[in-house]
Amino acid sequence: QRLLPVLNWLPGYRRDWLLLDVIAGLAVWAVMVPEGMAYAGIVGVPPIMGLYTLVPPLVAYALLGTSRLLVVGPDTATGLISALAVGAVAVQGTADFNTLTSTLAVLIGAFFLLFGILRMGWVAAFIPTPVMRGFIEGLVFVTIIGQVPHLLGIEGASGNFFTKLWFLLRHLSDATFAPVLTGTLSLIAMLSLRHLAPRLPAALVIAVVATILVGLFNGEAAGVDVVGNLPSGLPHLVLPDLDFAKLQDLVPGALAIVLVGYAEALGGAKAAAMQGGGDIDPNQELVAHGPANILSGLFGGFLVVGSLSKTSVAMAAGARTQLANLVAAVLCFLTLVLLTPLFRGMPHPALAAIVIAAMLHLSKPGYLRDLFARSRAEFALAAIVIAGELALGVPHGIAAGVVLALLMLIYRTSHPHGAVLGQLPNQEAYRSVSRHPEALTFPGLLIWRAGGDLFFASIGHLDEGLKAALAASRPPAKHILLDADSVDSIDTSACDALSNVIRQLQSQGITFAFARVRDSVRERMRLGGIDAIVGPTSFYERVTDGVRAWQKQAGRDPASAATGL
């Protein structure tokens, strides 16, 4: 059951779920076939490779995934990274580019599998939501500007967002009536159906109607570019290109896709679990994405990840288990064997409209507005990611965001928010006096909250904050009570530094005590000699106990010791 999570839900499968799963499978198929062909344009490969990408991942994840509802398939965000990674090695439109795209999928699968075996599911935590959201917002602009030339039937350009935009503006006059009409009407219809009939498989409807209309009005002769002949039957085994130099060039892109794709897939799996139940194992999710990508690459497809948008389609259709995805896989298989001739006249402007509508659906500008109001620093982080994607490229944008997020994490952990505490009136609660001016302090006593874990990078900040608070205390404090409730760990460097701080204070006639020290931290302090310096009786279970002990030692009346009493 651990190796094949399908065994967790299959024995308890209920007969009344079957019809719902079959209907959901039809809905997923109706979305995945046209979107697979459309997303192939993002990846930079022929539409048939989008169809080759559908079946193996659906089957592999159904057997190995821990989510009962997650749908694995082509994705816009990671697809663009794939195109950029392979485009740095081979020329788009060549057989070498297509082979390397499948090779990249195999490489991605190998990384997924390796990270899953090493139980590295925690890596997704290093992409904070503002970075991920900024990445998606930037990706919306980058993808749309790449699809607009297909929408209008004109040539595109390479380069960053601004280069492509300038090229597009200079060549708008090259657009002809028929492609523009086809693309514009397809986009309007896609957006309208999404709004008016959200349960309808809009992508399939637009693809079918556009294909019929272009055929009826001889749009191909009028300049509308169509998909052309697609091979029927099953894909042939595609051996990956094992050229070491090329693989080395693909590794950074593969790692970026694994990190971004896993974060997206895990978010989709958790969202599905909230509605459909079940437990999600992050490490097994990595393992499941391994064979899904390896098999896709070996059968001539490209990379796949868990997709929240496709999962939403399955959930809206009433899916109960991964049987819905197996039904979709069977239908996609039959499409490959029997139905590919029907797609010959599908217009590229309609496929571009499907992609653009999907990207507009991903955009959430309201999140950025809320983020600006909630945290200027995190908004700046998202804005840097977006600007990096537009100016430098998608991999550089997400890399900048992750690096900046890690730097922010290092800064925050090394700068714990220590504070002077005071007692709330008529309570045994102690709060920061800067946030609670009504909190009462005790003349001669400084209660200091550490604010976080103590380690080699944070102990210096605690030392500075403590000494600054001592200098500001009036009258000068002669006793320090350190509230260590927020300290979960302390390393040897912090122990040694804290010992030196305590000795320096004692030499100035200032005594030191601790409150609310965790057992593991207390043991570390004992081994570091702090117990011997302050005395084992200088540790208290509560801040109140430490305050009362100081009052007793100082001979003060507890009823009148606090300021204002």
Side-chain angles (χ1 to χ4, degrees), residues 64 73 143 221 271 290 296 315 384 387 392 420 439-440 489 493 541 553:
L64 298 172
T143 305
S296 177
M315 290 191 294
I384 288 171
L392 304 175
V420 176
L440 306 175
S489 65
S493 299
E541 288 296 322
Q553 291 169 4

Side-chain angles (χ1 to χ4, degrees), residues 17-93:
W17 289 350
L18 182 59
L19 180 60
L20 291 170
D21 279 339
V22 170
I23 293 173
L26 283 165
V28 171
W29 167 79
V31 170
M32 291 192 74
V33 168
E35 283 194 355
M37 299 176 67
Y39 290 178
I42 297 176
V43 180
V45 295
I48 189 62
M49 288 183 66
L51 297 181
Y52 290 159
T53 304
L54 303 181
V55 179
L58 286 172
V59 176
Y61 185 84
L63 299 177
L64 298 172
T66 58
S67 171
R68 294 190 180 188
L69 299 177
L70 185 69
V71 180
V72 172
D75 175 66
T76 52
T78 52
L80 187 57
I81 301 177
S82 170
L84 294 170
V86 179
V89 183
V91 177
Q92 187 172 323

Side-chain angles (χ1 to χ4, degrees), residues 340-400:
T340 50
L342 300 179
F343 297 110
R344 185 219 167 271
M346 185 180 294
H348 278 293
L351 292 177
I354 292 172
V355 173
I356 292 173
M359 297 311 298
L360 291 174
H361 186 66
L362 281 178
S363 181
K364 298 286 187 289
Y367 173 84
L368 295 178
R369 288 195 299 269
D370 292 341
L371 186 63
F372 182 79
R374 293 165 60 189
S375 172
R376 300 293 173 85
E378 291 183 276
F379 174 82
L381 186 60
I384 288 171
V385 174
I386 296 173
E389 287 185 75
L390 299 183
L392 304 175
V394 173
H396 297 88
I398 188 66

Side-chain angles (χ1 to χ4, degrees), residues 266-424:
L266 194 60
K270 289 180 177 178
M274 290 177 64
Q275 178 170 326
D279 297 322
I280 303 300
D281 182 349
N283 295 306
Q284 183 62 28
E285 288 300 297
L286 282 169
V287 171
H289 276 72
N293 279 279
I294 291 173
L295 290 173
S296 177
L298 291 177
F299 283 98
F302 47 85
L303 71 101
V304 294
V305 295
S307 169
L308 181 57
S309 60
K310 297 178 184 64
T311 303
S312 299
V313 170
M315 290 191 294
R320 290 293 181 268
T321 67
Q322 283 292 326
L323 184 62
N325 291 341
L326 293 176
V327 170
V330 171
L331 294 173
C332 291
F333 175 84
L334 295 175
T335 301
L336 268 174
V337 174
L338 302 174
L339 302 181
T340 50
L342 300 179
F343 297 110
R344 185 219 167 271
M346 185 180 294
H348 278 293
L351 292 177
I354 292 172
V355 173
I356 292 173
M359 297 311 298
L360 291 174
H361 186 66
L362 281 178
S363 181
K364 298 286 187 289
Y367 173 84
L368 295 178
R369 288 195 299 269
D370 292 341
L371 186 63
F372 182 79
R374 293 165 60 189
S375 172
R376 300 293 173 85
E378 291 183 276
F379 174 82
L381 186 60
I384 288 171
V385 174
I386 296 173
E389 287 185 75
L390 299 183
L392 304 175
V394 173
H396 297 88
I398 188 66
V402 172
V403 169
L404 285 174
L406 290 175
L407 290 175
M408 288 174 63
L409 173 64
I410 293 171
Y411 180 84
R412 286 172 180 170
T413 54
S414 62
H415 290 71
H417 293 291
V420 176
L421 302 185
Q423 183 181 2
L424 295 181

Side-chain angles (χ1 to χ4, degrees), residues 137-143 145 159-164 383-394 396-397:
E137 294 297 333
L139 194 70
V140 168
F141 289 102
V142 173
T143 305
I145 201 65
N160 64 23
F161 172 84
F162 300 105
T163 302
K164 292 179 179 179
I384 288 171
V385 174
I386 296 173
E389 287 185 75
L390 299 183
L392 304 175
V394 173
H396 297 88

